[in-house]
Amino acid sequence: MFGKIMFYFVKDNKLEIQFENGKGFIEVIKDDIINVFSPLKYEDHFSRAIEGLKIVKTDFHVNYNNDCLILKTDKLIVKIHDDFKVDFFDKDGKILCEDYREDRKPFIRRGNGKIAEGEGIKIEENFRKYKIEIVKKMQGDEYFYGLGEKTGYLNKRGYYYEMWNTDDPRPHVESYVSLYKSIPFFITLRENASFGIFFDNTFKTYFDMGKENGSYYYFAADDGNLDYYFINGPKVTDVVEGYTYLTGKTPLPQLWTLGYQQSRWSYSPKERVLEIAKTFREKDIPCDVIHLDIDYMDGYRVFTWDKVAFSNHKEMIKELKNMGFKVVTIIDPGVKKDKGYFVYEEGLKNGYFATDKDGIPYVNEVWPGEALYPDFSDESVRRWWAEKQKIMLQDGVAGIWNDMNEPASFKGPLPEDVQFKNDGRPTNHLEIHNVYGHLMSKATYEGIKDYTNKRPFVITRACYAGTQKYSTVWTGDNHSFWEHLRMAVPMLLNLGLSGIAFCGTDVGGFQFDATGELLSRWVQLGCFTPLFRNHSCIHTRDQEPWAFDEKTEEINRKYIKLRYKLLPYVYDLMYQCELTGLPLMRPLFLHYQDDKNTYELNDEFLFGENILVAPILEQGKNIRAVYLPEGTWIDYWTKEEYEGGKYILKEAPLDICPIFIKKGSIIPNFEEQNYVGQKKMNKLILDIYPGDGAYYHYKDDGESFEYKEGKYNLYKISMRLKDTLEINIEKEHEGYDDYEELELIVNNYNGNVVVNSKQYKLNQGVIKLQKEILTKK
């Protein structure tokens, strides 16, 4: 396609290459991040995922040798050949990733098995050539991860996927190649190496991870520019940090957003909402948020309230606030076509809606009937939509839930030629579809931030790479199936590896009917998912924590209370996430990359680096094998110690989710509370698992942006176990209120009980505990 290299030159951080049939660029973003670009559609480099990219001044060298260009940084060697074939090597010359030099050869499907020439042989059904395709040679030892929200298992080798945001309410199974989110990024793990590739293209894209042919894998697109980033490891943690360096890191959320949330389609009328809230408090089950689905609106008109079902809704929100509840309301993009309706009239007057090719506003159908779609690709429309958020915020709403923003439509998909302004680069639906929800989330985030000056809480169903800067996500319309519970673990882990750290599922399942056992096991997983929300569909059986029987209710209470106990640890993980991009839910290989036993664990995960969770994901199961990586691990419930590097069998009756804490860990806890802010947390409780280790604990006001101005505390808590257990707490940064007291809980297997619980002063220096109380008896 490109032909031979004709000449090249270097300017600043870019290598520009002129080929016979076009030009290409190799841009050094950092010494371990390289951009490969060719302006096949647009001359300039335009990205919806990457904003305000900082290019690091990097020394690199370029020379021409043996018919190829060789670019070297301190960490990478890049070889560029004719036809813009690009190969990547580590600094020592080990091949990491190279372009495939032969034609693609798909699997043959023989059908009835005839072998006569031309008979019974069928080419792979989805084999096609793409306008843009990058084919990479399979080295043989690859494991693939990431690609956002996809069905199937953790390792994506041998699978094929498409990036095209899709609302499909049928049960999602492994054959689904696309769901609600498009994140064209994957991580390759090889022996002693790892790297990531981010294909920044918003058109429909395709990822074949060796399904078509085991000799290669490829990524491709229908249109756009050739534009991808190579992100070197060698650690997977380096790759995640590099990818989020490009696309942005999940910002620290308000503390209450990490509590338990209850939702249903729909809690209506307001008396039902208040009944739900009062029942939580009466039954001593913590909860911070109640979500309102589409039936709170007046005829599904966005930014309105049903005047009958939610008469005097401001008083309802005030009453809920007095009980400690926040209200989050759903907002869809579809604006009802309705003369006199203010949102419709404003959008029509100002040309804020997407149009057909003749400039006439495009109309499809969603919940309110005939509806129009705001053109979020245009900055003026985003500003308008941002301003509309204050309608809900003035009423007391605390967060916004964006749904149906793939965009979904009831009368067939939006035609390819629906027109969008695209911030001065007019285009059609093919280019905007995958970023429609991303841009809606951005507008929503900015509107909430401008009005409240607090960290916005936005939840979205559809997204693109980089949406983590603006919104949390959930995995869409799952079902109350055990298979969907099982699938939740690898799906959330891959979302986290893809930059979307603040994510969750509909706990209990959205469609179909949950059982008490399924809800019990799902809430045990939900306790350790960043977004912890129970949500169910209209006409399904009730799914609140108390909806089944006393045993199910007690299990829900137990794990929801455990989540609130662990809130300071969860908040610390979110703080770390803003710094490093590392997710809260982590596959074991993220921290045990040299242990191949961790590469395909689909049913257990790390919560941070200190807690290992191995949930029960099958009906009727009450014992399971748990793989513990190297080190010593302590059963959270019994305090029994296990040496890692092997599988153990763990009994897990219905009320037990297997949880293990790594020896040497320090886990901050909160006192019991029914909602965030119920009381001031003046006591720092440290749950200690004796050994050598250190932990950083973070504290701020939990809601404002003042932490960015230094108004926070950062504590370094060190622990050393020799003749005594020595614990030292130092402030590495001081800018916020201190704790008034400190409580240490030292765990040991000694009659299955805590052997030391004592209160101390926070500033008393090194605390020494006698070793006798730590000895196993």
Side-chain angles (χ1 to χ4, degrees):
M1 174 183 173
F2 285 90
K4 291 184 177 295
I5 295 174
M6 304 301 291
F7 61 87
Y8 70 93
F9 63 89
V10 177
K11 183 178 181 182
D12 298 326
N13 60 307
K14 286 185 182 179
L15 166 63
E16 181 175 342
I17 309 152
Q18 184 64 52
F19 296 92
E20 289 177 297
N21 303 314
K23 60 184 175 180
F25 296 86
I26 301 293
E27 184 171 14
V28 180
I29 308 301
K30 298 170 64 179
D31 58 8
D32 55 359
I33 301 178
I34 305 294
N35 178 232
V36 179
F37 178 80
S38 181
L40 302 180
K41 185 176 181 69
Y42 300 116
E43 281 296 319
D44 59 328
H45 207 158
F46 181 75
S47 175
R48 289 296 187 181
I50 300 173
E51 300 178 59
L53 177 62
K54 294 180 180 178
I55 296 176
V56 178
K57 184 174 177 55
T58 304
D59 290 329
F60 63 92
H61 307 279
V62 179
N63 62 71
Y64 188 79
N65 186 32
N66 294 329
D67 299 325
C68 77
L69 283 165
I70 303 174
L71 182 151
K72 291 185 179 181
T73 74
D74 287 342
K75 295 183 179 179
L76 283 172
I77 300 171
V78 185
K79 294 185 178 180
I80 306 100
H81 303 263
D82 293 342
D83 281 327
F84 209 10
K85 299 292 185 183
V86 184
D87 304 332
F88 296 88
F89 304 77
D90 69 13
K91 63 181 181 180
D92 299 319
K94 176 187 174 181
I95 185 69
L96 298 173
C97 170
E98 63 179 312
D99 278 347
Y100 193 67
R101 301 303 201 268
E102 302 175 32
D103 292 334
R104 285 167 50 205
K105 297 175 183 178
F107 274 108
I108 300 298
R109 299 178 183 268
R110 291 193 180 274
N112 62 10
K114 292 181 180 179
I115 59 174
E117 185 176 351
E119 294 185 30
I121 295 179
K122 185 178 182 182
I123 296 295
E124 174 79 43
E125 289 179 358
N126 61 5
F127 178 73
R128 53 174 286 196
K129 299 292 285 183
Y130 306 93
K131 182 173 181 179
I132 302 169
E133 61 180 31
I134 300 92
V135 185
K136 297 291 186 180
K137 181 180 178 181
M138 197 80 78
Q139 303 298 322
D141 61 344
E142 289 91 345
Y143 295 80
F144 297 116
Y145 308 99
L147 295 170
E149 174 196 70
K150 299 300 180 188
T151 59
Y153 291 89
L154 186 63
N155 177 18
K156 298 306 184 186
R157 182 165 176 166
Y159 284 80
Y160 165 85
Y161 295 106
E162 296 175 358
M163 298 295 171
W164 187 253
N165 291 354
T166 303
D167 171 28
D168 190 334
R170 295 174 299 175
H172 306 144
V173 294
E174 285 180 39
S175 59
Y176 274 54
V177 297
S178 58
L179 285 174
Y180 308 93
K181 300 165 186 64
S182 293
I183 306 176
F185 166 72
F186 65 91
I187 296 170
T188 302
L189 175 58
R190 297 184 55 207
E191 186 172 4
N192 301 318
S194 70
F195 61 86
I197 290 179
F198 171 42
F199 184 32
D200 192 7
N201 186 308
T202 69
F203 287 88
K204 190 173 186 178
T205 55
Y206 309 84
F207 290 78
D208 188 301
M209 314 313 291
K211 181 179 187 294
E212 180 177 278
N213 189 312
S215 298
Y216 58 78
Y217 57 98
Y218 71 77
F219 49 100
D222 285 340
D223 206 343
N225 288 332
L226 191 164
D227 188 3
Y228 72 90
Y229 294 80
F230 181 90
I231 306 160
N232 190 40
K235 296 180 180 179
V236 179
T237 51
D238 298 330
V239 177
V240 175
E241 288 193 42
Y243 170 71
T244 54
Y245 177 84
L246 293 172
T247 61
K249 294 176 171 60
T250 300
L252 189 63
Q254 293 193 58
L255 182 59
W256 62 263
T257 68
L258 300 172
Y260 178 77
Q261 307 186 27
Q262 186 66 45
S263 183
R264 182 172 176 83
W265 175 25
S266 282
Y267 288 133
S268 178
K270 66 180 182 181
E271 289 77 14
R272 175 63 174 150
V273 180
L274 293 169
E275 175 195 347
I276 291 293
K278 290 172 182 175
T279 306
F280 269 105
R281 298 296 179 244
E282 290 167 359
K283 290 185 174 291
D284 187 32
I285 300 175
C287 182
D288 264 275
V289 185
I290 294 178
H291 290 247
L292 299 183
D293 210 318
I294 56 177
D295 292 310
Y296 80 89
M297 291 183 268
D298 176 16
Y300 307 125
R301 297 170 180 85
V302 291
F303 305 114
T304 69
W305 291 83
D306 186 305
K307 295 179 177 59
V308 177
F310 287 88
S311 61
N312 208 351
H313 59 273
K314 293 182 183 179
E315 283 299 315
M316 177 198 73
I317 294 173
K318 185 177 180 181
E319 188 174 348
L320 289 167
K321 182 179 179 180
N322 291 336
M323 287 191 282
F325 287 95
K326 305 289 194 301
V327 173
V328 171
T329 50
I330 199 168
I331 295 287
D332 294 342
V335 174
K336 184 176 179 62
K337 183 181 179 183
D338 182 20
K339 190 174 182 180
Y341 168 39
F342 70 101
V343 181
Y344 168 73
E345 295 287 3
E346 287 177 24
L348 201 62
K349 177 182 177 181
N350 293 288
Y352 288 158
F353 298 119
T355 69
D356 64 18
K357 59 185 178 181
D358 297 319
I360 299 171
Y362 172 74
V363 179
N364 202 304
E365 193 170 294
V366 280
W367 294 116
E370 288 193 327
L372 291 79
Y373 294 82
D375 179 2
F376 295 120
S377 73
D378 185 61
E379 186 178 357
S380 62
V381 179
R382 294 196 298 274
R383 285 199 304 266
W384 171 64
W385 197 260
E387 291 168 2
K388 286 284 167 281
Q389 307 305 311
K390 72 180 181 181
I391 296 172
M392 310 307 295
L393 301 170
Q394 286 172 339
D395 289 346
V397 169
I400 298 295
W401 165 18
N402 287 336
D403 197 9
M404 303 289 286
N405 54 350
E406 288 73 33
S409 51
F410 292 167
K411 284 192 170 181
L414 273 65
E416 296 178 358
D417 61 357
V418 170
Q419 301 296 301
F420 292 86
K421 295 176 182 175
N422 199 26
D423 289 330
R425 303 157 57 98
T427 190
N428 60 30
H429 182 237
L430 290 175
E431 185 172 2
I432 297 302
H433 178 87
N434 281 342
V435 289
Y436 191 83
H438 170 83
L439 295 170
M440 181 185 184
S441 296
K442 179 179 181 179
T444 304
Y445 176 92
E446 291 173 347
I448 297 174
K449 182 180 179 182
D450 289 346
Y451 183 78
T452 66
N453 202 29
K454 292 181 180 180
R455 307 168 208 169
F457 181 60
V458 182
I459 177 172
T460 185
R461 190 169 74 178
C463 77
Y464 182 69
T467 299
Q468 65 267 15
K469 298 187 292 288
Y470 311 118
S471 180
T472 178
V473 309
W474 90 107
T475 57
D477 294 347
N478 61 4
H479 284 61
S480 297
F481 296 163
W482 286 94
E483 177 58 19
H484 278 197
L485 173 60
R486 180 207 63 76
M487 192 169 66
V489 175
M491 185 177 281
L492 293 174
L493 291 176
N494 276 317
L495 270 168
L497 292 173
S498 305
I500 309 291
F502 197 173
C503 56
T505 67
D506 285 342
V507 169
F510 177 66
Q511 301 197 62
F512 203 57
D513 290 329
T515 63
E517 182 187 1
L518 178 60
L519 179 59
S520 297
R521 292 305 192 187
W522 213 314
V523 80
Q524 291 168 9
L525 171 62
C527 176
F528 297 97
T529 62
L531 178 67
F532 188 13
R533 182 183 77 156
N534 178 319
H535 183 49
S536 54
C537 185
I538 194 170
H539 305 312
T540 61
R541 61 174 58 164
D542 285 1
Q543 199 170 281
E544 293 76 32
W546 55 83
F548 293 90
D549 50 45
E550 289 185 9
K551 185 174 184 179
T552 304
E553 180 182 325
E554 183 52 42
I555 291 170
N556 275 255
R557 183 182 294 108
K558 175 180 178 178
Y559 284 91
I560 294 171
K561 285 195 170 189
L562 176 59
R563 171 59 167 245
Y564 279 78
K565 183 178 181 179
L566 293 172
L567 270 183
Y569 178 76
V570 180
Y571 197 58
D572 286 342
L573 291 177
M574 292 301 307
Y575 166 72
Q576 294 172 22
C577 182
E578 182 171 303
L579 297 178
T580 67
L582 296 181
L584 286 70
M585 289 180 71
R586 304 173 184 178
L588 271 66
F589 66 75
L590 200 64
H591 294 295
Y592 300 92
Q593 188 170 323
D594 294 334
D595 184 353
K596 289 187 177 180
N597 292 317
T598 67
Y599 289 6
E600 299 201 65
L601 289 175
N602 296 282
D603 59 353
E604 57 182 278
F605 58 93
L606 294 170
F607 194 57
E609 198 170 350
N610 305 84
I611 299 177
L612 187 151
V613 184
I616 299 294
L617 306 173
E618 298 174 40
Q619 179 177 323
K621 196 169 185 177
N622 56 22
I623 189 170
R624 63 157 293 170
V626 179
Y627 183 74
L628 299 175
E630 66 177 356
T632 302
W633 295 87
I634 300 166
D635 188 308
Y636 181 77
W637 304 109
T638 68
K639 312 308 175 188
E640 187 170 1
E641 289 188 3
Y642 298 89
E643 287 304 314
K646 61 184 179 183
Y647 281 91
I648 66 165
L649 278 179
K650 170 63 180 173
E651 291 188 10
L654 187 57
D655 68 328
I656 293 295
C657 174
I659 304 167
F660 298 87
I661 313 295
K662 192 165 189 179
K663 185 175 182 178
S665 294
I666 300 165
I667 311 292
N669 287 176
F670 272 162
E671 296 180 279
E672 194 168 292
Q673 59 182 331
N674 277 317
Y675 57 91
V676 171
Q678 182 181 17
K679 53 187 174 183
K680 190 171 183 180
M681 292 297 166
N682 291 320
K683 181 192 292 186
L684 175 60
I685 303 171
L686 297 179
D687 193 18
I688 292 171
Y689 296 80
D692 294 338
Y695 181 83
Y696 286 90
H697 173 56
Y698 175 86
K699 184 175 190 271
D700 67 10
D701 66 15
E703 61 177 23
S704 77
F705 286 96
E706 290 186 348
Y707 74 98
K708 291 184 175 292
E709 300 167 4
K711 295 184 179 180
Y712 66 89
N713 289 348
L714 185 63
Y715 304 89
K716 181 181 180 181
I717 308 166
S718 303
M719 175 169 57
R720 189 175 66 167
L721 180 60
K722 287 192 176 180
D723 294 332
T724 59
L725 176 66
E726 297 182 359
I727 298 167
N728 187 35
I729 302 175
E730 302 174 83
K731 283 186 198 168
E732 293 213 343
H733 185 277
E734 183 173 8
Y736 190 66
D737 297 341
D738 212 344
Y739 292 101
E740 296 177 2
E741 56 183 314
L742 169 69
E743 180 177 347
L744 301 181
I745 300 173
V746 182
N747 295 277
N748 194 45
Y749 187 59
N750 182 10
N752 295 342
V753 296
V754 170
V755 296
N756 185 54
S757 180
K758 188 176 179 181
Q759 294 186 9
Y760 298 87
K761 293 180 179 178
L762 194 64
N763 59 354
Q764 73 177 65
V766 177
I767 300 169
K768 295 185 178 182
L769 302 174
Q770 294 303 311
K771 192 172 182 180
E772 299 84 74
I773 69 169
L774 308 172
T775 304
K776 180 175 176 180
K777 297 181 180 178

